[in-house]
Amino acid sequence: MERRRRSLPLIAAAAFLVVAAMPYPGGAATPPLRKDYYDKSCRNLEAIVREEVARKINETVVTIPATLRLVLHDCMVGGCDAAVLIASKNNDAEKDAKDNESLAGDGFDTINRVKTAVERSCPGVVSCTDIIQLAARDVVFLSKGPYWSVELGRRDSLVSRASDVKGKLPDPNMHLKELSPLFQRSGFSPDDMVALSGAHTVGFAHCTRFLNRLYNYSSSMPTDPSFHPDYALQLKQACPPNVGETIAVNMDPVSPITFDNKYYTNLQYGLGLFTSDQVLYTDGATKGIVDKFAGNQKEFFDAFVAAMIKLGRLGVKTGNDGEIRKVCTAFNH
């Protein structure tokens, strides 16, 4: 294939590490969320969030993907309501579901730190789910990605069940025939889906999440042929067959802590880490979108912002629904 004849892009020296204006649905005349929602009740909210997020990033860059991932994992399961943050003594909350086991602790820590700081200035005013949205925007912006105004006014959930998660989130082994319906059910277009996948331009993944692509692809072909052969070799060196569960590699081997469009260029070269990444390029239905974003970073940024705003509107609780939690890990009563 022509792609195989291309030279492999320079891979970052630290690529391997040991350790992630649109109408409202239903045509609502009055938007339930507003960008100025806290302007009077918590005037310094965004400055407080930015300061705490920046401090956490300075401690560890894992903060960037860990915080960003929380948005998808929160909103795709029952709506954006911070149910994913609840800590259950019985290990039966959303965060305990198998599909959420890979969420890094630094994401939860970021939100808890921000909430503590916000409560000092504006007690009982700002929801945890709004803090997730603001913190995610800030980690993107602080890693050289786009900036956008976040719609606010969501309230936190009163329930969090691990049983609600199954079948709601994308899986690393999914092909387009499984990914597309998953996103379509939530009102996302193919462009939205491919743009949201671009969040993998930052972060890491544990080797155990993609070992099958390296060693057990098929009986006649152990390694997935859509991998660039040089990249597959590097991954095998970092992730041997008996690799431990704590070993991880960067999702984007070229610019792992910069939010850019290199993720899409990587797919063109066969550097997609998950099946669910690489199929976006190998499947003709989305290949053109990958090419578009690879060739124009502004188009990717614009599409990503639009998709994040749409994601942030899923199943929101406003008015008298839900509550404003005092701490993000527990219900008020």
Side-chain angles (χ1 to χ4, degrees):
M1 296 173 61
E2 182 182 353
R3 169 179 53 76
R4 290 286 177 82
R5 293 199 296 268
R6 298 180 182 180
S7 59
L8 191 65
L10 177 65
I11 293 182
F16 300 108
L17 54 105
V18 178
V19 200
M22 295 173 292
Y24 275 86
T30 303
L33 305 178
R34 306 195 317 268
K35 296 171 183 176
D36 63 351
Y37 188 83
Y38 297 109
D39 279 8
K40 294 182 179 179
S41 58
C42 194
R43 292 181 59 186
N44 296 323
L45 172 62
E46 300 215 11
I48 296 170
V49 175
R50 181 75 52 81
E51 181 179 359
E52 291 300 320
V53 169
R55 181 180 291 121
K56 178 68 177 176
I57 291 175
N58 285 338
E59 292 178 15
T60 172
V61 293
V62 174
T63 301
I64 299 167
T67 304
L68 180 55
R69 286 189 70 201
L70 287 175
V71 179
L72 187 78
H73 284 247
D74 181 34
C75 296
M76 292 287 280
V77 181
C80 307
D81 58 9
V84 74
L85 302 180
I86 291 294
S88 166
K89 293 179 181 178
N90 299 321
N91 296 321
D92 59 358
E94 280 189 19
K95 70 182 296 186
D96 301 306
K98 183 174 178 59
D99 288 343
N100 282 330
E101 288 177 352
S102 63
L103 291 174
D106 285 299
F108 296 107
D109 185 53
T110 300
I111 304 306
N112 292 335
R113 288 194 192 188
V114 172
K115 176 65 169 175
T116 299
V118 170
E119 285 295 302
R120 284 197 294 265
S121 294
C122 318
V125 172
V126 183
S127 68
C128 296
T129 185
D130 276 347
I131 288 174
I132 292 175
Q133 297 287 327
L134 287 167
R137 186 274 312 277
D138 285 349
V139 297
V140 169
F141 180 64
L142 292 172
S143 55
K144 301 183 180 180
Y147 179 91
W148 66 97
S149 296
V150 176
E151 297 176 335
L152 302 165
R154 304 166 190 79
R155 289 168 65 86
D156 300 321
S157 73
L158 298 172
V159 296
S160 179
R161 295 181 292 258
S163 58
D164 291 340
V165 177
K166 189 174 182 180
K168 304 287 179 58
L169 296 167
D171 181 88
N173 296 314
M174 283 184 174
H175 288 263
L176 206 59
K177 64 181 180 181
E178 298 145 331
L179 286 170
S180 293
L182 186 72
F183 281 91
Q184 286 171 358
R185 284 199 300 269
S186 295
F188 293 110
S189 69
D191 275 59
D192 293 330
M193 177 181 68
V194 177
L196 289 173
S197 298
H200 286 175
T201 189
V202 290
F204 61 90
H206 293 95
C207 294
T208 52
R209 301 280 280 176
F210 57 87
L211 274 184
N212 59 314
R213 291 191 69 201
L214 291 175
Y215 302 107
N216 303 107
Y217 181 70
S218 71
S219 57
S220 60
M221 195 174 296
T223 303
D224 187 339
S226 64
F227 267 134
H228 190 292
D230 293 347
Y231 185 46
L233 181 61
Q234 291 179 348
L235 289 174
K236 288 177 180 179
Q237 291 170 347
C239 304
N242 60 345
V243 68
E245 293 186 357
T246 61
I247 307 303
V249 301
N250 289 314
M251 296 291 296
D252 176 352
V254 177
S255 55
I257 60 173
T258 302
F259 195 96
D260 54 24
N261 67 336
K262 292 294 188 295
Y263 167 81
Y264 302 103
T265 308
N266 292 344
L267 298 185
Q268 293 175 322
Y269 282 90
L271 306 184
L273 196 58
F274 292 159
T275 295
S276 57
D277 294 315
Q278 196 59 49
V279 295
L280 299 178
Y281 186 71
T282 56
D283 194 306
T286 47
K287 180 179 182 294
I289 304 172
V290 171
D291 287 335
K292 176 175 65 175
F293 292 160
N296 190 321
Q297 182 163 277
K298 184 180 185 303
E299 286 219 35
F300 162 49
F301 280 5
D302 290 347
F304 181 79
V305 168
M308 286 293 287
I309 292 172
K310 188 182 290 188
L311 179 61
R313 292 174 175 176
L314 292 181
V316 297
K317 295 165 179 63
T318 59
N320 294 321
D321 291 340
E323 65 180 9
I324 304 297
R325 286 186 211 143
K326 295 175 183 177
V327 293
C328 293
T329 56
F331 303 120
N332 289 344
H333 300 291

